[in-house]
Amino acid sequence: MSQSLTDFSDLIRSVRESAVHLEMRDGYGVDNEIEGFTAWRQGHRLDPADRGSWWRPWLDLVEEVTGKGVVIRRARIVSEPVSEYIAFEHSGTFTNVAAGEQIRWLPRRRASDLALPGNDFWLFDSRLVQFNVFDGVGRWVHTDQTQDSAVAKLCSEAFEAVWERAIPHEKYVV
């Protein structure tokens, strides 16, 4: 299934209570395909005082949805020492938090005994699961969605197990 940013925006706007996102890769995309990654490598860092320079339209969407009372939580399982890409993500995550996301990081070594789905996913209102499937170098390949209650339960339990162990963003140091 192919999905545009508009389709995803409409989906997340339809959420009534919660959206959780589990990320389990140490890298996404290829260097030049990730907005801001090359500049970050060259020393550019986002300015906390310059909200206009942050990643739009995602942060606007997060502010809109969380402003309606929806809870958005993201957990990232990462190898340590972290990859260059994860260091890049970590350096800009304060913008997601400022927009209203709650974000935690779980060192991979602390996830060994957890049952986890094979792909990153979003879980919307504990009922709709969207799996994001990537190729071996981290490029998005396609999206699968299901409302199968057993799959939603598996993903919910996996996310909550990760969330419970994970370190809040403001306390996780890369």
Side-chain angles (χ1 to χ4, degrees):
M1 171 182 177
S2 175
Q3 184 176 45
S4 71
L5 181 57
T6 301
D7 293 339
F8 185 79
S9 296
D10 290 344
L11 177 60
I12 203 161
R13 281 187 179 104
S14 74
V15 172
R16 294 188 174 149
E17 295 178 11
S18 68
V20 300
H21 185 37
L22 182 61
E23 297 178 0
M24 299 181 284
R25 298 184 57 87
D26 286 321
Y28 293 87
V30 186
D31 299 349
N32 296 330
E33 295 178 17
I34 303 297
E35 184 179 334
F37 186 55
T38 301
W40 178 86
R41 279 179 145 173
Q42 296 168 350
H44 173 70
R45 298 298 182 265
L46 293 174
D47 180 355
D50 184 10
R51 290 179 77 99
S53 69
W54 300 355
W55 184 33
R56 307 290 180 194
W58 172 250
L59 299 173
D60 296 326
L61 181 60
V62 169
E63 288 176 337
E64 174 189 334
V65 172
T66 58
K68 296 186 303 186
V70 172
V71 175
I72 300 178
R73 295 183 294 159
R74 180 187 307 253
R76 293 175 171 144
I77 299 174
V78 296
S79 299
E80 292 181 318
V82 300
S83 68
E84 184 179 35
Y85 181 83
I86 293 300
F88 159 71
E89 263 194 340
H90 187 272
S91 76
T93 294
F94 75 90
T95 64
N96 298 69
V97 173
E101 281 190 71
Q102 299 172 37
I103 300 180
R104 293 186 181 180
W105 303 81
L106 181 63
R108 193 171 308 281
R109 72 184 184 291
R110 295 180 53 198
S112 296
D113 61 341
L114 299 179
L116 301 169
N119 293 293
D120 289 10
F121 66 85
W122 280 92
L123 175 62
F124 303 103
D125 287 332
S126 300
R127 63 169 183 76
L128 172 66
V129 180
Q130 175 169 300
F131 290 105
N132 295 315
V133 181
F134 296 88
D135 67 13
V137 294
R139 289 180 297 231
W140 176 82
V141 176
H142 68 273
T143 297
D144 295 326
Q145 288 184 348
T146 183
Q147 291 191 49
D148 181 299
S149 61
V151 175
K153 182 179 184 222
L154 168 78
C155 290
S156 177
E157 289 173 352
F159 183 87
E160 294 305 330
V162 169
W163 190 257
E164 183 178 309
R165 290 184 187 184
I167 303 162
H169 173 70
E170 61 277 3
K171 294 182 179 178
Y172 184 70
V173 179
V174 297

mmCIF file of all heavy atoms in Angstrom, residues 83 104 108 122 129-130 142 160:
data_model
loop_
_atom_site.group_PDB
_atom_site.id
_atom_site.type_symbol
_atom_site.label_atom_id
_atom_site.label_comp_id
_atom_site.label_asym_id
_atom_site.label_seq_id
_atom_site.Cartn_x
_atom_site.Cartn_y
_atom_site.Cartn_z
ATOM 1 N N SER A 83 24.067 4.900 16.262
ATOM 2 C CA SER A 83 24.519 5.197 14.908
ATOM 3 C C SER A 83 24.523 6.708 14.699
ATOM 4 O O SER A 83 23.919 7.476 15.467
ATOM 5 C CB SER A 83 23.584 4.544 13.884
ATOM 6 O OG SER A 83 22.305 5.168 13.927
ATOM 7 N N ARG A 104 10.513 8.346 24.187
ATOM 8 C CA ARG A 104 11.451 7.604 25.021
ATOM 9 C C ARG A 104 12.369 6.767 24.141
ATOM 10 O O ARG A 104 12.031 6.404 23.023
ATOM 11 C CB ARG A 104 10.711 6.681 26.001
ATOM 12 C CG ARG A 104 9.935 7.453 27.044
ATOM 13 C CD ARG A 104 9.329 6.531 28.071
ATOM 14 N NE ARG A 104 8.568 7.302 29.061
ATOM 15 C CZ ARG A 104 7.935 6.766 30.073
ATOM 16 N NH1 ARG A 104 7.969 5.459 30.270
ATOM 17 N NH2 ARG A 104 7.261 7.522 30.909
ATOM 18 N N ARG A 108 18.876 -1.205 22.876
ATOM 19 C CA ARG A 108 18.522 -2.520 22.331
ATOM 20 C C ARG A 108 18.868 -3.659 23.288
ATOM 21 O O ARG A 108 18.144 -4.635 23.398
ATOM 22 C CB ARG A 108 19.221 -2.707 20.981
ATOM 23 C CG ARG A 108 18.702 -3.876 20.182
ATOM 24 C CD ARG A 108 19.265 -3.898 18.765
ATOM 25 N NE ARG A 108 19.108 -2.634 18.059
ATOM 26 C CZ ARG A 108 17.990 -2.219 17.479
ATOM 27 N NH1 ARG A 108 16.911 -2.951 17.528
ATOM 28 N NH2 ARG A 108 17.956 -1.056 16.850
ATOM 29 N N TRP A 122 2.770 2.152 13.718
ATOM 30 C CA TRP A 122 1.900 3.103 14.405
ATOM 31 C C TRP A 122 0.689 2.310 14.863
ATOM 32 O O TRP A 122 0.209 1.424 14.136
ATOM 33 C CB TRP A 122 1.417 4.193 13.458
ATOM 34 C CG TRP A 122 2.390 5.297 13.209
ATOM 35 C CD1 TRP A 122 3.320 5.372 12.199
ATOM 36 C CD2 TRP A 122 2.514 6.503 13.967
ATOM 37 N NE1 TRP A 122 4.010 6.548 12.294
ATOM 38 C CE2 TRP A 122 3.532 7.263 13.375
ATOM 39 C CE3 TRP A 122 1.854 7.007 15.089
ATOM 40 C CZ2 TRP A 122 3.910 8.502 13.861
ATOM 41 C CZ3 TRP A 122 2.229 8.239 15.575
ATOM 42 C CH2 TRP A 122 3.250 8.979 14.956
ATOM 43 N N VAL A 129 -3.531 -0.754 13.160
ATOM 44 C CA VAL A 129 -2.072 -0.835 13.125
ATOM 45 C C VAL A 129 -1.605 -0.509 11.714
ATOM 46 O O VAL A 129 -2.145 -1.032 10.736
ATOM 47 C CB VAL A 129 -1.565 -2.249 13.507
ATOM 48 C CG1 VAL A 129 -0.039 -2.301 13.456
ATOM 49 C CG2 VAL A 129 -2.082 -2.661 14.862
ATOM 50 N N GLN A 130 -0.609 0.337 11.643
ATOM 51 C CA GLN A 130 0.033 0.621 10.364
ATOM 52 C C GLN A 130 1.497 0.233 10.482
ATOM 53 O O GLN A 130 2.244 0.824 11.259
ATOM 54 C CB GLN A 130 -0.083 2.096 9.992
ATOM 55 C CG GLN A 130 0.688 2.420 8.711
ATOM 56 C CD GLN A 130 0.360 3.783 8.195
ATOM 57 O OE1 GLN A 130 -0.786 4.070 7.894
ATOM 58 N NE2 GLN A 130 1.370 4.635 8.071
ATOM 59 N N HIS A 142 6.880 0.054 1.692
ATOM 60 C CA HIS A 142 5.421 0.157 1.644
ATOM 61 C C HIS A 142 4.837 0.140 3.050
ATOM 62 O O HIS A 142 5.539 -0.055 4.031
ATOM 63 C CB HIS A 142 4.800 -0.947 0.774
ATOM 64 C CG HIS A 142 4.931 -2.316 1.329
ATOM 65 N ND1 HIS A 142 6.019 -3.115 1.116
ATOM 66 C CD2 HIS A 142 4.094 -3.038 2.126
ATOM 67 C CE1 HIS A 142 5.862 -4.268 1.742
ATOM 68 N NE2 HIS A 142 4.707 -4.250 2.361
ATOM 69 N N GLU A 160 3.828 -1.034 24.992
ATOM 70 C CA GLU A 160 3.783 -0.741 26.428
ATOM 71 C C GLU A 160 4.978 -1.348 27.158
ATOM 72 O O GLU A 160 5.515 -0.740 28.091
ATOM 73 C CB GLU A 160 2.464 -1.199 27.040
ATOM 74 C CG GLU A 160 1.246 -0.427 26.534
ATOM 75 C CD GLU A 160 1.320 1.076 26.688
ATOM 76 O OE1 GLU A 160 1.968 1.579 27.627
ATOM 77 O OE2 GLU A 160 0.726 1.777 25.846
#
